[in-house]
Amino acid sequence: MRVLHILDHSIPLHSGYTFRTRSILREQQALGWDTFHVTGSKQGVCADLEEDVDGLHFYRTPAINGPLAKLPVLNQKAVIDGLTRRLSEIIPLIKPDVLHAHSPCLNAIAALRAGKKFGIPVVYEVRAFWEDAAVDHGTAKEFGLRYRVTRGLETYALKRVNAITTICEGLRKDIVQRGIAADKVTVIPNAVDIDKFSVGGIADLALKAKLGLQDKRLIGFIGSFYAYEGLDVLLRAFPLMLTHAPDLRVLLVGGGPQDGALRQLAKELRIDDKVIFTGRVPHEQVQQYYDLLDVLVYPRLSMRLTDLVTPLKPLEAMAQGRLLAASDVGGHLELIEDGKTGVLFKADDPQSLAQKVGTLMDAPQQWPALREAGRRYVETERNWPISVARYKQIYSRLTGLRGL
């Protein structure tokens, strides 16, 4: 089986998107399949048109330059056109059996063009809807003109590809509601590399002292500070928790668009001396900060994006046997069973967060069972060998190749 993966971006860039891709590629290769990989122009300027990163070989597409790069709509057409040209160069060299395009739909449309030209079936993997991501980033208004055009492009691609995969049930249901046959859509859920996560990490007391947190209990978040993560809800809940837990502190590890607003909110709430912003930390040091936290909090806001899409971070926390609390948005409900693998609080509600997290902090006798159940869940249901095995039936059906 020879599979050409068509990607928006990849490692060495760091994102949930690139890490999921890397895990899929490595597991497919472990199955004995030949995988090939091309990124579109959104990878950015690359010194060479081919690049080896972390044992994987990538074909790159030249970045868009000139007047089209700055023009709405036309710049997206340029992305499709550039990727289509690059596919026309690569496909005769590698002769893939399947074109596997990953979000956004620009990649799927380019793959459809190439698939038609060379007679190769196309799989489209939907990780999120482009239009909803644009709303969160502030580049489009929900159900505005740009939103509707983008949604139309997604639906256009979904109707024409040979098979669809997606990362969760929320997205699958939305796809089917667009008039797509249910048997055309397969869920390949997010998962974790179990071997990369161990249970029982011990807090680095020197680091804790360096942060001024000795003798403090810690709740917090590790990741990118986007608006939809709802970290403002965590900060608003914190004063309510301090009234009966004065030794509690909040540790926020990372950075992003909301960094400045969150720091300002902490000042306004007069908790800036009790909320520690570490800024971004090197990847190899992230584990040390996980080991400091008593409870990881994921307060995602309720919106289409978070109700439809399952995040990766809670799975990584469960793989480490961590305690976690999360808002009850749809994406979390697919991953976390309240009171069994974590606790859930009402989305957008600081008082609910304060009550549920406070109760968890005060009930250490419940912690071992929560930690064990979370780890068991990822071991049995959310690991990459189990997820990637689901591609076998899809590829076999499209290519006629048996015994994959």
Side-chain angles (χ1 to χ4, degrees):
M1 173 61 63
R2 299 170 68 83
V3 186
L4 175 56
H5 289 271
I6 303 165
L7 305 158
D8 183 76
H9 61 289
S10 75
I11 53 173
L13 302 180
H14 282 193
S15 69
Y17 185 104
T18 66
F19 297 149
R20 174 181 168 91
T21 298
R22 180 175 59 184
S23 296
I24 290 171
L25 300 182
R26 286 182 169 166
E27 192 58 41
Q28 289 193 349
Q29 291 176 354
L31 290 171
W33 303 346
D34 294 320
T35 67
F36 304 87
H37 332 106
V38 58
T39 54
S41 56
K42 291 187 179 180
Q43 178 76 15
V45 177
C46 299
D48 299 299
L49 290 180
E50 296 186 38
E51 182 180 15
D52 291 310
V53 185
D54 200 10
L56 296 168
H57 185 78
F58 292 93
Y59 294 92
R60 304 302 190 190
T61 300
I64 300 172
N65 294 310
L68 289 182
K70 298 180 181 180
L71 295 177
V73 180
L74 290 179
N75 61 351
Q76 305 306 320
K77 182 180 183 300
V79 170
I80 296 172
D81 291 344
L83 183 54
T84 301
R85 287 191 297 271
R86 189 68 174 125
L87 289 173
S88 293
E89 296 169 355
I90 296 168
I91 288 173
L93 299 175
I94 63 176
K95 298 179 173 57
D97 299 302
V98 173
L99 303 182
H100 187 142
H102 301 252
S103 290
C105 62
L106 303 181
N107 297 332
I109 293 171
L112 282 167
R113 290 181 178 180
K116 182 178 180 180
K117 179 178 179 180
F118 294 98
I120 305 172
V122 177
V123 176
Y124 179 27
E125 180 159 313
V126 180
R127 303 187 181 189
F129 290 126
W130 191 29
E131 64 269 24
D132 293 324
V135 170
D136 178 71
H137 295 325
T139 58
K141 293 183 179 180
E142 190 167 357
F143 301 113
L145 177 60
R146 181 172 179 177
Y147 182 97
R148 285 182 280 120
V149 168
T150 306
R151 184 176 176 84
L153 285 173
E154 284 279 3
T155 303
Y156 172 90
L158 291 168
K159 288 182 175 180
R160 287 162 177 79
V161 296
N162 301 96
I164 301 164
T165 69
T166 191
I167 66 171
C168 59
E169 285 297 328
L171 288 171
R172 188 195 69 81
K173 290 176 182 177
D174 191 280
I175 290 168
V176 172
Q177 288 172 357
R178 300 185 188 212
I180 309 299
D183 61 2
K184 188 179 178 179
V185 189
T186 303
V187 174
I188 312 286
N190 268 330
V192 295
D193 294 312
I194 291 294
D195 294 340
K196 292 185 177 180
F197 296 96
S198 59
V199 177
I202 299 173
D204 183 337
L205 297 182
L207 175 59
K208 196 170 184 180
K210 180 180 178 181
L211 296 170
L213 296 172
Q214 57 268 45
D215 302 322
K216 305 299 181 185
R217 294 185 296 166
L218 300 178
I219 62 174
F221 175 89
I222 299 174
S224 297
F225 299 172
Y226 291 112
Y228 62 78
E229 295 292 4
L231 296 176
D232 59 311
V233 179
L234 171 59
L235 294 187
R236 294 183 191 281
F238 186 51
L240 303 176
M241 303 176 70
L242 277 172
T243 57
H244 71 275
D247 64 330
L248 199 60
R249 297 293 183 268
V250 173
L251 182 64
L252 298 180
V253 181
Q258 293 295 304
D259 187 277
L262 291 170
R263 292 175 187 266
Q264 181 59 35
L265 178 60
K267 290 181 181 179
E268 293 173 3
L269 295 171
R270 298 181 179 179
I271 55 173
D272 52 308
D273 60 331
K274 298 176 177 64
V275 178
I276 293 82
F277 291 85
T278 68
R280 298 187 186 277
V281 301
H283 182 69
E284 63 274 11
Q285 296 178 19
V286 170
Q287 188 62 50
Q288 292 177 276
Y289 290 87
Y290 268 112
D291 292 340
L292 293 181
L293 288 163
D294 295 295
V295 177
L296 286 147
V297 185
Y298 303 102
R300 285 193 159 194
L301 304 178
S302 179
M303 59 180 66
R304 264 184 58 85
L305 180 68
T306 57
D307 280 325
L308 293 179
V309 179
T310 54
L312 189 57
K313 291 297 183 183
L315 291 177
E316 293 179 346
M318 282 189 268
Q320 299 176 62
R322 303 289 175 183
L323 297 174
L324 66 153
S327 59
D328 61 354
V329 296
H332 286 152
L333 290 174
E334 286 193 40
L335 302 177
I336 303 162
E337 187 174 350
D338 188 26
K340 184 176 181 181
T341 56
V343 298
L344 295 169
F345 51 85
K346 187 176 180 181
D348 311 335
D349 187 337
Q351 189 167 0
S352 177
L353 189 160
Q355 188 272 318
K356 293 297 290 280
V357 175
T359 299
L360 176 62
M361 294 291 290
D362 291 339
Q365 70 277 6
Q366 297 177 7
W367 296 359
L370 287 167
R371 288 170 169 154
E372 182 180 349
R375 172 70 183 194
R376 186 168 58 249
Y377 173 66
V378 295
E379 286 179 339
T380 58
E381 299 185 42
R382 291 298 183 124
N383 61 77
W384 283 117
I386 290 175
S387 283
V388 171
R390 300 186 186 195
Y391 290 115
K392 293 180 182 180
Q393 185 176 4
I394 301 167
Y395 291 168
S396 178
R397 175 170 55 82
L398 295 182
T399 64
L401 296 174
R402 304 300 176 186
L404 295 180

